[in-house]
Amino acid sequence: MQKIAVIGAGTMGNGIAHVFAQKGHKVNLIDISQKALDKGIQTITKNLDRMLAKEKITQSDKASTLQNIATFTSIKEGVTKVDVVIEAASEHLDTKLSIFKELDTLCSDNTILATNTSSISITQIAAATGRPDKVIGMHFMNPVPIMQLVEIIRGYNTSDETTEQIMTLSTQLGKTPTEVNDYPGFVANRILMPMINEAIETLYNGVAGVAEIDTVMKLGMAHPMGPLQLADFIGLDVCLSILNVMYDGFKNPKYAPCPLLVNMVTAKKLGVKSGEGFYDYSESRKAEKVSDQFLR
């Protein structure tokens, strides 16, 4: 399983391409936008330079990693003769179903089709193909080059062989794969998102301020970052999307998104990516300044 295609050159896609290329795999990075591809390669280069400065890699490692990545704006050209395709496009069901239907017609019968979805049903995605036994979830954590976990999600029809191949492949990347079953939110987000949502509810109800809530969780629970800062880092739109998937899937009110989260996403206050969320990132990407709307 040496040749990998990654669909989507955004934060997750370029990170996935980076780790595979660094481990010697040939990677086809695919995106409909040439601008997104250029930005993705710039991000990979910047991350490699950071590793180089810390003496974690050599100049030769950097050069070979970049040489292992080819870019494509055509899915058809990018998935030719690959062993595994990893979809890392936007977290929207219709988008993913459309991509997997197309992949099923373009890829060889032996190609494994994986998705980096953080919440959408693998079984539902697999049903859009004629090879549900070869469809699986590979939920990498952000930032991909640093985080060790890969959540491996088996759909209802995912075969043992496919699961074993992807578990082995993940281990070869230096990651720790953990097998879970296909239920809304899987494990990571089923536990994480209600915590983030509860932190937003705590703010919404006036129990404490943004910095205070995050301080309690960092110093009291030994979390590396507070839940509101983490929500900003993930993207509030992504958090809302995952909560909606879980609420629709379980019909349990404990997964219903907080009205404050809904309003912030509607107002385009999405966190780091938009420059403002619970914190103001206009001067720094660090969560150092609480957004003015929460200082009134």
Side-chain angles (χ1 to χ4, degrees):
M1 302 180 73
Q2 284 301 305
K3 194 162 186 181
I4 311 295
V6 179
I7 298 177
T11 300
M12 297 306 295
N14 70 60
I16 294 167
H18 174 160
V19 296
F20 273 103
Q22 192 174 328
K23 288 296 183 178
H25 295 271
K26 295 297 182 182
V27 180
N28 292 349
L29 182 58
I30 307 164
D31 200 293
I32 57 173
S33 165
Q34 184 61 50
K35 183 178 179 180
L37 288 169
D38 293 341
K39 185 177 180 181
I41 296 297
Q42 288 172 5
T43 298
I44 294 169
T45 303
K46 188 184 299 183
N47 289 335
L48 288 168
D49 285 338
R50 195 174 290 122
M51 297 173 75
L52 188 61
K54 294 179 179 179
E55 299 184 345
K56 292 185 176 181
I57 62 170
T58 65
Q59 188 67 46
S60 176
D61 293 330
K62 174 188 171 182
S64 62
T65 298
L66 292 172
Q67 287 170 3
N68 282 336
I69 303 173
T71 60
F72 296 84
T73 54
S74 163
I75 289 183
K76 183 177 181 179
E77 293 177 10
V79 301
T80 299
K81 296 181 180 179
V82 299
D83 301 306
V84 180
V85 180
I86 304 172
E87 173 272 321
S90 57
E91 193 74 350
H92 295 108
L93 176 60
D94 290 344
T95 299
K96 293 185 186 298
L97 293 179
S98 176
I99 289 172
F100 274 77
K101 284 178 184 177
E102 186 173 6
L103 290 175
D104 193 41
T105 64
L106 295 174
C107 297
S108 76
D109 292 341
N110 295 322
T111 302
I112 292 174
L113 307 182
T115 173
N116 183 58
T117 182
S118 58
S119 61
I120 295 172
S121 168
I122 306 304
T123 303
Q124 191 171 5
I125 292 172
T129 76
R131 62 181 87 192
D133 59 313
K134 291 188 174 295
V135 178
I136 195 166
M138 289 185 79
H139 179 205
F140 289 83
M141 304 294 130
N142 185 26
V144 180
I146 296 173
M147 299 294 280
Q148 286 296 110
L149 177 68
V150 184
E151 200 175 23
I152 306 298
I153 307 102
R154 293 185 65 139
Y156 190 80
N157 292 304
T158 305
S159 69
D160 290 341
E161 181 183 7
T162 296
T163 304
E164 289 166 8
Q165 287 177 302
I166 294 301
M167 293 284 283
T168 299
L169 182 63
S170 300
T171 300
Q172 290 170 352
L173 291 177
K175 302 298 186 183
T176 301
T178 302
E179 182 182 333
V180 306
N181 291 317
D182 185 22
Y183 291 93
F186 315 135
V187 171
N189 282 320
R190 184 168 179 172
I191 295 170
L192 175 63
M193 285 301 154
M195 183 192 74
I196 286 176
N197 199 44
E198 193 62 32
I200 299 171
E201 286 278 3
T202 303
L203 176 66
Y204 181 59
N205 292 332
V207 178
V210 171
E212 289 75 15
I213 291 168
D214 278 354
T215 297
V216 167
M217 296 305 292
K218 286 189 290 184
L219 300 186
M221 312 303 166
H223 291 195
M225 67 174 72
L228 300 177
Q229 180 188 358
L230 180 56
D232 276 355
F233 180 73
I234 295 169
L236 302 191
D237 53 337
V238 176
C239 293
L240 178 60
S241 175
I242 295 169
L243 283 165
N244 280 331
V245 167
M246 293 168 67
Y247 182 58
D248 290 342
F250 291 115
K251 299 296 188 291
N252 189 323
K254 75 177 181 179
Y255 299 115
C258 176
L260 175 58
L261 174 61
V262 175
N263 283 345
M264 290 179 71
V265 173
T266 303
K268 308 297 184 186
K269 306 292 186 181
L270 307 180
V272 176
K273 71 173 84 175
S274 69
E276 184 180 0
F278 294 105
Y279 294 87
D280 184 333
Y281 302 95
S282 58
E283 297 179 2
S284 171
R285 287 176 64 86
K286 296 180 180 179
E288 298 173 329
K289 180 183 177 184
V290 174
S291 175
D292 286 345
Q293 64 180 314
F294 299 113
L295 296 176
R296 295 167 189 163

